[in-house]
Amino acid sequence: KPGEQKHPKEPPSLQCMHLAVVACGDRLEETLIMLKSAVLFSSRRLCFHIFAEDSLKPEFETKLKEWPSSYTKKFESNIYPITFSVGNAQEWKKLFKPCAAQRLFLPVILKDVDSLLYVDTDVLFLRPIDDIWHLLREFNSTQLAAMAPEHEMPKIGWYSRFARHPYYGSTGLNSGVMLMNLTRIRSTRFRNSLIPGGLTWEEMLYPLYQKYKNYITWGDQDLLNIIFYFNPECLYVFPCQWNYRPDHCMYGSNCRGAEEEGVSILHGNRGVYHDDKQPTFKALYEVIRDFPFEDNLFQSLYYPLQSRFLDTVHTLCGRIPQVFLKQIEKTMKKVYENRVIVYLGANHKY
């Protein structure tokens, strides 16, 4: 109508929550369990961006199709080959763990995606992705990515004790969970130690790697620390419960946010899902792995967790089971209440 303001349609890339992961080698099962935890609890539609070696692509396609339709309708998936747009592809592929550096190129490859949550394969969601996705709204005008600190206490932090390159803040950053506004990343010129005028994200990656490659230990995570050391105003730091790792409990509890609110995202780095060093982490992984999709969440997920945790109370991480259970219990109650409301609404007679 004349004089009426037009509201543009929401771009397709904003209509779902975008989740990216890079899987190479033996990470197929771990990745599928991570995606399962995402689908189990999230309410809004998900778009999976899976970067995988060619040999894993058919396996991902087959396994995801085996999930019940009540869950497959909650997501769409795209599987991409491993590619690096600048520099030596073999160098990038061998940097730290196989293919891990692929995550640095997501802003370049996913040109039609506005915002994205990247996670390592060894991550488990204990509450809806919707909740971390909402943190994008908290970014100020200069922030374009969010990560959690590598440690809360400098005296036990790796970067503060051993790093031979610049890193963010007093303890560095852990990049296993990284929320990104890709649009802002693509349009920003970043300060750096190479040239005074600033470089785009893609221009900066390979020269930065060449300069620091003899000093970095943790591959792409170290490069991200270097980038945000020079551009601290670009980073939103979220608290440790969004990237809870064995380090937060194996030296005594040092993540206050998890103590108060519970773990939101569990990050089982150091391979703890697959050995007996941290049985609490392993218990969570195996219970989610073994959960039958269409079964009752309390009966087949929460109660087995409680039972498994009783066997871990003798460990440093296991002595605080409420930290691991608080959010997952809250999430399951919410899922149950929503189903009851939908059921009652559908059957309500006027």
Side-chain angles (χ1 to χ4, degrees):
K1 295 179 182 178
E4 185 177 317
Q5 186 177 357
K6 290 185 177 180
H7 296 279
K9 286 182 70 175
E10 186 181 43
S13 63
L14 298 180
Q15 291 171 359
C16 66
M17 299 178 294
H18 294 267
L19 177 65
V21 65
V22 179
C24 287
D26 60 356
R27 297 303 180 108
L28 175 73
E29 182 195 73
E30 210 173 66
T31 305
L32 288 167
I33 307 307
M34 179 276 290
L35 297 173
K36 182 179 183 180
S37 72
V39 171
L40 278 179
F41 300 130
S42 295
S43 53
R44 190 172 161 189
R45 186 171 174 77
L46 293 161
C47 290
F48 295 151
H49 301 275
I50 303 166
F51 291 81
E53 290 173 307
D54 293 341
S55 60
L56 293 180
K57 181 178 179 180
E59 294 190 70
F60 273 114
E61 291 173 338
T62 301
K63 295 290 186 183
L64 291 173
K65 285 176 184 175
E66 290 174 357
W67 291 3
S69 60
S70 57
Y71 286 93
T72 57
K73 69 182 182 183
K74 292 177 66 176
F75 70 88
E76 61 183 73
S77 60
N78 298 285
I79 303 175
Y80 309 83
I82 303 296
T83 54
F84 303 99
S85 61
V86 293
N88 185 308
Q90 288 306 310
E91 268 190 294
W92 284 122
K93 193 167 184 180
K94 293 175 183 176
L95 181 63
F96 191 45
K97 292 180 181 176
C99 309
Q102 178 70 82
R103 152 257 297 282
L104 296 172
F105 294 86
L106 297 180
V108 181
I109 298 168
L110 301 175
K111 294 183 184 299
D112 296 326
V113 176
D114 175 71
S115 295
L116 178 85
L117 177 64
Y118 165 87
V119 295
D120 286 347
T121 60
D122 53 7
V123 155
L124 292 171
F125 294 95
L126 305 187
R127 66 190 287 182
I129 291 183
D130 311 55
D131 297 336
I132 192 170
W133 194 257
H134 290 156
L135 294 180
L136 286 164
R137 301 175 186 171
E138 297 188 16
F139 284 16
N140 66 26
S141 60
T142 63
Q143 290 166 339
L144 46 77
M147 285 183 278
E150 173 69 15
H151 279 281
E152 274 45 61
M153 298 186 292
K155 66 180 181 180
I156 62 170
W158 191 91
Y159 284 102
S160 48
R161 291 184 296 161
F162 305 118
R164 296 186 296 155
H165 58 77
Y167 58 89
Y168 179 91
S170 60
T171 60
L173 300 163
N174 184 281
S175 59
V177 180
M178 185 175 180
L179 189 63
M180 293 180 270
N181 183 318
L182 299 184
T183 301
R184 287 187 179 182
I185 290 175
R186 285 187 287 262
S187 62
T188 298
R189 296 192 74 82
F190 293 87
R191 292 192 301 277
N192 57 81
S193 58
L194 304 166
I195 64 169
L199 293 167
T200 67
W201 185 267
E202 188 175 20
E203 290 170 342
M204 174 175 56
L205 289 179
Y206 194 61
L208 204 65
Y209 165 67
Q210 286 294 315
K211 178 170 181 176
Y212 291 104
K213 66 180 180 180
N214 294 325
Y215 304 98
I216 59 179
T217 303
W218 308 113
D220 50 310
Q221 177 172 290
D222 289 347
L223 290 177
L224 290 167
N225 266 282
I226 294 166
I227 290 169
F228 289 108
Y229 168 84
F230 290 106
N231 301 271
E233 75 286 352
C234 293
L235 190 75
Y236 176 99
V237 179
F238 51 64
C240 47
Q241 63 263 34
W242 292 104
N243 188 349
Y244 191 89
R245 304 179 304 283
D247 305 71
H248 290 119
C249 51
M250 62 191 286
Y251 305 115
S253 182
N254 58 65
C255 176
R256 183 173 296 176
E259 291 174 21
E260 294 172 355
E261 298 180 21
V263 175
S264 297
I265 295 179
L266 192 75
H267 185 182
N269 63 343
R270 305 175 186 265
V272 293
Y273 297 148
H274 312 293
D275 60 31
D276 296 316
K277 293 178 181 177
Q278 299 296 338
T280 313
F281 282 75
K282 187 177 183 180
L284 263 160
Y285 178 81
E286 291 182 347
V287 169
I288 292 176
R289 178 195 67 193
D290 298 339
F291 172 71
F293 269 105
E294 300 285 18
D295 223 334
N296 180 284
L297 282 168
F298 276 101
Q299 191 68 39
S300 300
L301 198 149
Y302 185 71
Y303 295 142
L305 267 179
Q306 284 187 314
S307 177
R308 290 284 299 271
F309 280 179
L310 288 175
D311 298 328
T312 72
V313 291
H314 63 285
T315 68
L316 278 170
C317 292
R319 66 188 174 84
I320 45 173
Q322 70 278 7
V323 166
F324 297 89
L325 290 170
K326 191 177 290 186
Q327 273 299 332
I328 204 166
E329 180 181 8
K330 184 178 175 182
T331 298
M332 284 189 284
K333 283 181 177 177
K334 192 173 180 181
V335 169
Y336 177 76
E337 288 166 1
N338 287 343
R339 285 178 182 171
V340 170
I341 291 168
V342 169
Y343 176 79
L344 290 175
N347 290 277
H348 188 73
K349 294 181 180 180
Y350 294 92

